[in-house]
Amino acid sequence: MIEPNSDALPAASPNSLWTDAFRRLKKDKVGMISLIVIVIYVLVAILCGLDLIFQNYSVADDARSYLAPNAINWFGTDFLGRDVLARAAHGTYTSMLVGLLGPGLSVIIGVVLGALAGYFGGRTDALVVWFYTTVDTIPYILLISAFAFVLGPGLQTLCIVFGLTGWVGLCRLVRAEFLKHKEKEYVQSARALGAGHMRRIFRHILPNVLHIVLIQFSLAFVSVIKAEVILSYLGLGVEAGTPSWGVMISDAKLELSRGVWWGLLTATLFMFFLVLALNLFTSALRDALDPKLKGK
Amino acid sequence: MADNIIEIKDLKVDFHTDDGVVHAVKGISFDIPRGKTVGLVGESGSGKSVTSLTAMKLVPNPPGEISGGQILFEGKDLVKASEAEMRKIRGNKISMIFQEPMTSLNPVFTVGDQIAETLMLHQDLSKDEAIEKAIELLDQVGIPNPSTRVKSYPHEMSGGQRQRVMIAMAIACEPDVLIADEPTTALDVTIQKQILDLLADLQKKYGMSVLFITHDLAVIADIADEVVVMYRGDIVEKGSVSDVFNKPQHPYTKGLLACRPSLDKNPERLPTVSDFMTVDGKEISYDISALLKEKTTRPIADDHDVLLEIKNVKKHFPLKKNFFGKVQNWVKAVDDVSFKVRRGRTLGLVGESGCGKTTLGRTILRLIEPTAGEIIYDGKDLVGMNRQEMREMRKKMQIIFQDPYASLNPRMTIGSAIMEPMIIHNIGANKADRLQKAGDLIEKCGLPREMLNRYPHEFSGGQRQRICIARALAVEPEFIICDESVSALDVSVQAQILNLLLDLQEEFGLTYIFISHDLAVVKFFADELAVMNSGQVVEMADALSIYQAPKEDYTKKLLSAIPKGIPKDLLVTQLQ
């Protein structure tokens, strides 16, 4: 490593962990490719959401029902004669929205509550633990159904439902990590230097437990997409007619017996690449955020 | 039968890392004679632990690889031995004690079960017989009430007792060779002495050969017959204890001998290895009289300006609560302690683990709230200050912890770590200014400013402690508590850090409370000494008179625990 002279010393800014992490991530080929894949998915989702591409997704044509993949419909058509590729692309919008916003919301709730409980202990901890234990005792599906019935089915409902129910496991983990880290000497030494609670929680402890959050997030993303399938099947998910991978996969159970395999394949492929890219990316991000793995 | 139970011949061990091959051991040869103790000495990273692990074939491969040489155990080359053959030797013929008694026992099994396991594995004993034998062994290693303690779990025992259990496990099968890898480094000096005595007894009793690995030459002088000194993967000197200690040839050995603070000397600064040689091992000429220059004792007048006074400070932790939540039993960690710390001077606080010295240190900074008492700093009582007032005080009072590995945030560059306290206390006009200041501080502490962009794991223990010192200095404090700040470091590094702290005291007029279990270190470093036992200060006087005329039995016990192995003082001998 060539040392720069002291004038050109790169600033050791308070954000340097993230700056450094991004620099390291750029060197990670797998990480960058998966990031590009995720960006493509996001673009597809946005463009579909704005109805700029695959506008034909709801165009039904009874004459073209269940066509196998062909020159016009590369991935075939469904029972209403709609283009499967267009349906799957629009399904990206549903999945990305639910998969990112739902777990995103639950990460925020889980991390904040877990951090506060673990860090402050005492009554705060007792309250948080009581709260998540209570949430945890209610059967999951029942809780989701209750929310869905009250708010009415739809995309926003799904996001809120997953956000409000999915945080318990993460909260528990984050609380335990905070309990462990707050006694460590580096936190004590920050305290001795006059660092306040918020600085100790967010600048010192949180970066050291972030890997858990990242892993939980990527796991939650997958399980939310799967849960959307179940909820849509129960009629609690997206409104009828809204394109979704979940609906496509759940439709496939009748179609397969008739030899119609392309709907299932397309939805699965879309899901597979997104989940793979997301897992690889979070893993690369986790490594990039660990300065000990520098140079690897 | 050969005289030597183990003969190591031209042993080479390499580690394959991402940055290329590291030659950890570069072709070393030495013998372990039957029934004798060989001391293997060197600093962290010198290859001494790798050597011992190689003898057990415990070096993980990859990344480690034995790239050459032989290890002959009773004439059989262990380098070529299969894993199945090694399994019969490990724990049976050659056994090992590790440094960290807290982690080398399995926390979910009783100590009896763990000792019995080795016996059942190698000696075909039934469970009952093995437990019977375990009780006998615990008795031999000096655990009181062995028949009850055999059912104890590791967490129910003290560090010294756990190390005794480790020794019991190691000698269970009456091995021919016992490898002790820094077995006393994590222990207090008083416990260290007991363990050393125990090892010497057992060695005599069983006629074992012992390979004793340490960074502290003084420790092995008492128990070893021969000494091997390693530096950077090579043996720089070997010979009998009296030869090596009386007529050291290599400058590194001279440095190691000279750098340990001893009770009967009173130097101004400790000699360090770098006074004797360059990093690549070339001898440099040194000025003996400069190295031996006596410290001018700084007299402390009764009316000397008092910076910190603590009055009747108590810290009690609840131990047991009854059904209604009323506390029935307390641990009196700090029990009615009062003393004064004078401006620009150092108060040494010395005592064994669990005597309350660390709790007291943290209570003074209000990292722990005192149960009762007053902490008067510069005329103001800290107890009862609100958070805002306390934050102002934290600018003046700092602490340097024991473990330099744990006290730096692993995900923060050291530059950010040093600049953080400046941000908290609004020191420095802008970022560039703070960066400049951080660079100056780190240079003052002996590291180049280019290092600011690095993360803590890239530094050695001694370097990290320098970083912690730079960080504490960032708020421009006037008072620093050093809580066992050099205890985790090698003797040679310890000397450097102690000298640095003294230089900084001189330059900035700092006031220190220096907490340690090692009376020799405290005596060198402090002006005044307070000896603590069971939460109370049992004796307090200036450093010299405590050493010359200790009044309390407890102080005498601490004094007698210091390894006094060095037969003659090297520098004084050379001067004559």
Side-chain angles (χ1 to χ4, degrees):
Chain A
M1 184 173 171
I2 303 154
E3 294 297 346
N5 61 38
S6 57
D7 307 322
L9 197 69
S13 72
N15 287 325
S16 61
L17 179 68
W18 291 97
T19 330
D20 265 13
F22 189 65
R23 215 189 50 225
R24 259 172 273 147
L25 193 63
K26 275 197 286 194
K27 286 189 210 148
D28 185 341
K29 271 193 200 128
V30 176
M32 282 322 277
I33 292 172
S34 49
L35 179 62
I36 292 168
V37 172
I38 293 170
V39 168
I40 292 173
Y41 269 98
V42 171
L43 282 179
V44 169
I46 292 173
L47 292 176
C48 287
L50 296 174
D51 217 5
L52 293 175
I53 53 171
F54 295 116
Q55 285 140 333
N56 59 338
Y57 76 95
S58 55
V59 180
D61 181 356
D62 286 342
R64 301 181 58 79
S65 179
Y66 285 139
L67 285 185
N70 57 61
I72 306 164
N73 307 103
W74 292 353
F75 286 84
T77 59
D78 66 1
F79 70 104
L80 288 176
R82 298 174 297 194
D83 185 54
V84 166
L85 181 62
R87 300 288 301 169
H90 276 260
T92 312
Y93 172 75
T94 312
S95 293
M96 291 295 271
L97 202 67
V98 178
L100 292 179
L101 290 187
L105 184 61
S106 69
V107 160
I108 293 171
I109 300 174
V111 167
V112 169
L113 287 185
L116 294 179
Y119 181 83
F120 288 107
R123 287 190 184 172
T124 321
D125 188 34
L127 189 71
V128 171
V129 171
W130 174 83
F131 186 50
Y132 74 56
T133 323
T134 310
V135 172
D136 215 21
T137 50
I138 305 169
Y140 186 65
I141 290 288
L142 200 67
L143 193 62
I144 293 178
S145 330
F147 270 108
F149 275 125
V150 172
L151 299 171
L155 268 183
Q156 298 87 334
T157 307
L158 277 181
C159 293
I160 294 169
V161 160
F162 290 128
L164 293 184
T165 53
W167 55 274
V168 172
L170 180 64
C171 180
R172 217 181 252 140
L173 286 173
V174 169
R175 171 180 170 267
E177 284 296 304
F178 266 74
L179 276 176
K180 191 173 83 190
H181 277 271
K182 73 168 176 184
E183 296 300 334
K184 289 206 173 172
E185 282 190 347
Y186 75 88
V187 181
Q188 291 294 316
S189 103
R191 183 174 172 209
L193 286 164
H197 294 309
M198 291 304 130
R199 177 173 278 273
R200 271 177 271 159
I201 292 176
F202 292 107
R203 293 268 294 119
H204 285 277
I205 306 180
L206 193 57
N208 282 295
V209 304
L210 209 59
H211 58 281
I212 292 176
V213 179
L214 286 172
I215 294 167
Q216 283 291 314
F217 179 80
S218 69
L219 291 177
F221 183 89
V222 181
S223 66
V224 159
I225 292 179
K226 287 192 285 192
E228 191 253 320
V229 178
I230 298 168
L231 287 190
S232 298
Y233 176 70
L234 291 175
L236 299 169
V238 293
E239 292 144 86
T242 311
S244 124
W245 300 338
V247 174
M248 288 171 80
I249 291 171
S250 112
D251 285 348
K253 60 187 183 297
L254 293 175
E255 297 170 353
L256 272 180
S257 56
R258 298 202 213 157
V260 179
W261 45 267
W262 43 90
L264 179 68
L265 180 79
T266 314
T268 314
L269 280 181
F270 266 76
M271 196 162 144
F272 171 76
F273 284 112
L274 178 60
V275 169
L276 182 68
L278 205 75
N279 275 336
L280 290 175
F281 178 71
T282 43
S283 148
L285 186 61
R286 189 194 60 207
D287 287 354
L289 281 169
D290 188 348
K292 281 185 199 133
L293 297 172
K294 207 179 198 173
K296 280 195 179 167
Chain B
M1 196 149 64
D3 270 325
N4 296 326
I5 188 143
I6 287 187
E7 293 180 11
I8 293 178
K9 288 182 177 162
D10 198 30
L11 181 71
K12 292 189 184 112
V13 183
D14 293 341
F15 280 89
H16 299 273
T17 69
D18 293 330
D19 304 323
V21 179
V22 177
H23 304 286
V25 177
K26 302 171 185 164
I28 61 164
S29 307
F30 68 93
D31 305 328
I32 303 175
R34 196 177 288 277
K36 300 272 185 192
T37 301
V38 175
L40 185 58
V41 187
E43 58 195 12
S44 310
S46 62
K48 55 189 196 310
S49 288
V50 173
T51 306
S52 67
L53 288 173
T54 311
M56 297 278 269
K57 278 193 88 178
L58 285 175
V59 172
N61 179 12
E65 187 200 354
I66 303 172
S67 55
Q70 289 179 304
I71 302 167
L72 298 177
F73 172 71
E74 293 182 321
K76 183 178 163 50
D77 189 0
L78 296 186
V79 173
K80 296 200 184 78
S82 69
E83 184 59 28
E85 287 173 300
M86 280 314 294
R87 230 175 286 145
K88 282 191 194 124
I89 292 173
R90 280 183 209 137
N92 193 18
K93 304 261 176 141
I94 307 178
S95 59
M96 197 156 180
I97 316 169
F98 295 94
Q99 171 173 356
E100 193 51 80
M102 302 295 166
T103 51
S104 42
L105 288 169
N106 189 333
V108 300
F109 292 106
T110 64
V111 296
D113 282 342
Q114 293 184 60
I115 302 173
E117 188 189 6
T118 325
L119 288 164
M120 281 150 59
L121 208 63
H122 290 297
Q123 301 205 332
D124 246 358
L125 297 183
S126 73
K127 174 99 190 189
D128 288 347
E129 288 167 335
I131 292 285
E132 195 93 338
K133 183 87 192 286
I135 294 172
E136 207 175 289
L137 284 163
L138 285 179
D139 190 35
Q140 272 186 32
V141 295
I143 302 264
N145 306 325
S147 44
T148 348
R149 294 315 297 256
V150 77
K151 296 188 200 98
S152 299
Y153 286 91
H155 73 268
E156 296 170 313
M157 302 187 131
S158 69
Q161 283 177 328
R162 283 185 232 194
Q163 200 57 297
R164 283 170 194 271
V165 171
M166 281 303 294
I167 294 173
M169 279 170 77
I171 61 165
C173 298
E174 300 181 14
D176 300 319
V177 182
L178 178 67
I179 299 176
D181 189 358
E182 304 251 15
T184 60
T185 306
L187 304 172
D188 278 6
V189 271
T190 41
I191 312 291
Q192 164 170 296
K193 181 161 169 50
Q194 295 166 10
I195 297 288
L196 290 177
D197 290 346
L198 174 68
L199 279 174
D201 284 350
L202 292 171
Q203 194 246 350
K204 229 174 270 161
K205 188 168 170 190
Y206 290 102
M208 291 182 293
S209 303
V210 177
L211 179 63
F212 194 101
I213 297 160
T214 179
H215 65 91
D216 188 351
L217 256 178
V219 169
I220 52 164
D222 290 330
I223 66 161
D225 301 291
E226 288 182 33
V227 183
V228 177
V229 183
M230 278 186 85
Y231 181 69
R232 298 196 160 186
D234 260 324
I235 291 179
V236 293
E237 185 155 4
K238 59 182 170 185
S240 72
V241 165
S242 70
D243 280 352
V244 171
F245 277 69
N246 291 318
K247 292 186 289 270
Q249 300 300 316
H250 195 275
Y252 180 68
T253 320
K254 292 179 190 171
L256 277 186
L257 282 170
C259 68
R260 194 181 208 293
S262 70
L263 285 170
D264 49 0
K265 274 185 298 179
N266 209 10
E268 186 166 52
R269 293 287 185 272
L270 289 169
T272 60
V273 171
S274 58
D275 289 324
F276 294 87
M277 66 169 207
T278 58
V279 270
D280 43 6
K282 289 201 188 66
E283 184 151 17
I284 43 180
S285 60
Y286 51 93
D287 178 4
I288 297 171
S289 52
L291 290 181
L292 275 177
K293 193 177 164 207
E294 286 260 326
K295 180 159 71 175
T296 42
T297 20
R298 300 180 290 190
I300 294 175
D302 278 344
D303 57 351
H304 192 107
D305 187 11
V306 172
L307 180 66
L308 172 79
E309 180 172 9
I310 67 167
K311 288 185 187 164
N312 310 100
V313 167
K314 292 180 187 166
K315 177 65 203 179
H316 298 176
F317 292 104
L319 193 65
K320 206 176 132 198
K321 288 182 182 174
N322 68 9
F323 182 72
F324 302 102
K326 193 170 178 320
V327 178
Q328 300 216 301
N329 213 341
W330 297 88
V331 180
K332 295 180 178 175
V334 177
D335 195 16
D336 202 1
V337 170
S338 308
F339 56 66
K340 292 174 185 165
V341 186
R342 295 167 217 270
R343 196 182 286 276
R345 295 287 188 266
T346 303
L347 174 79
L349 206 55
V350 70
E352 293 174 284
S353 300
C355 74
K357 55 191 193 308
T358 293
T359 309
L360 177 59
R362 294 188 184 191
T363 309
I364 291 173
L365 291 184
R366 276 190 63 201
L367 294 174
I368 302 175
E369 291 300 321
T371 311
E374 290 168 59
I375 302 163
I376 296 158
Y377 184 87
D378 219 1
K380 284 174 286 210
D381 191 355
L382 298 186
V383 181
M385 275 193 178
N386 64 28
R387 208 189 298 168
Q388 198 51 44
E389 291 167 317
M390 209 48 225
R391 187 175 284 198
E392 278 308 302
M393 295 309 291
R394 299 223 181 275
K395 214 176 130 180
K396 300 179 180 159
M397 317 169 73
Q398 275 308 305
I399 183 163
I400 300 163
F401 291 99
Q402 167 170 8
D403 187 350
Y405 293 92
S407 49
L408 288 168
N409 186 339
R411 297 189 186 225
M412 210 185 235
T413 59
I414 63 162
S416 309
I418 297 173
M419 293 196 304
E420 185 184 31
M422 302 187 205
I423 296 169
I424 295 171
H425 294 289
N426 288 320
I427 298 168
N430 51 36
K431 204 161 115 183
D433 190 24
R434 286 194 278 266
L435 197 58
Q436 182 65 32
K437 277 200 164 82
D440 296 345
L441 280 169
I442 198 96
E443 278 184 347
K444 194 145 269 165
C445 294
L447 291 171
R449 63 169 67 221
E450 286 75 31
M451 302 276 175
L452 284 179
N453 276 322
R454 306 238 173 133
Y455 286 90
H457 70 273
E458 297 171 71
F459 295 89
S460 70
Q463 288 175 322
R464 288 189 211 203
Q465 207 55 299
R466 288 174 192 272
I467 296 163
C468 293
I469 294 170
R471 191 171 186 222
L473 289 175
V475 294
E476 297 158 11
E478 43 191 15
F479 170 68
I480 298 180
I481 294 182
C482 306
D483 184 4
E484 297 266 15
S485 304
V486 296
S487 307
L489 305 174
D490 281 2
V491 185
S492 49
V493 180
Q494 169 180 299
Q496 297 167 6
I497 300 291
L498 288 172
N499 288 345
L500 171 67
L501 286 170
L502 285 176
D503 291 342
L504 294 170
Q505 180 170 45
E506 227 159 64
E507 187 174 343
F508 298 110
L510 298 170
T511 307
Y512 291 131
I513 287 185
F514 188 86
I515 301 174
S516 177
H517 63 87
D518 189 337
L519 228 159
V521 172
V522 182
K523 191 222 144 211
F524 159 74
F525 193 79
D527 300 287
E528 279 185 287
L529 264 179
V531 181
M532 268 188 93
N533 187 19
S534 314
Q536 290 175 320
V537 170
V538 292
E539 187 165 2
M540 193 165 167
D542 64 278
L544 212 57
S545 38
I546 286 232
Y547 161 62
Q548 282 163 347
K551 292 196 190 70
E552 297 292 321
D553 288 345
Y554 183 73
T555 317
K556 288 176 192 156
K557 180 181 147 203
L558 285 181
L559 279 169
S560 68
I562 309 291
K564 285 182 260 326
I566 302 175
K568 274 184 198 139
D569 190 293
L570 161 83
L571 292 168
V572 177
T573 326
Q574 284 182 347
L575 204 59
Q576 281 156 0

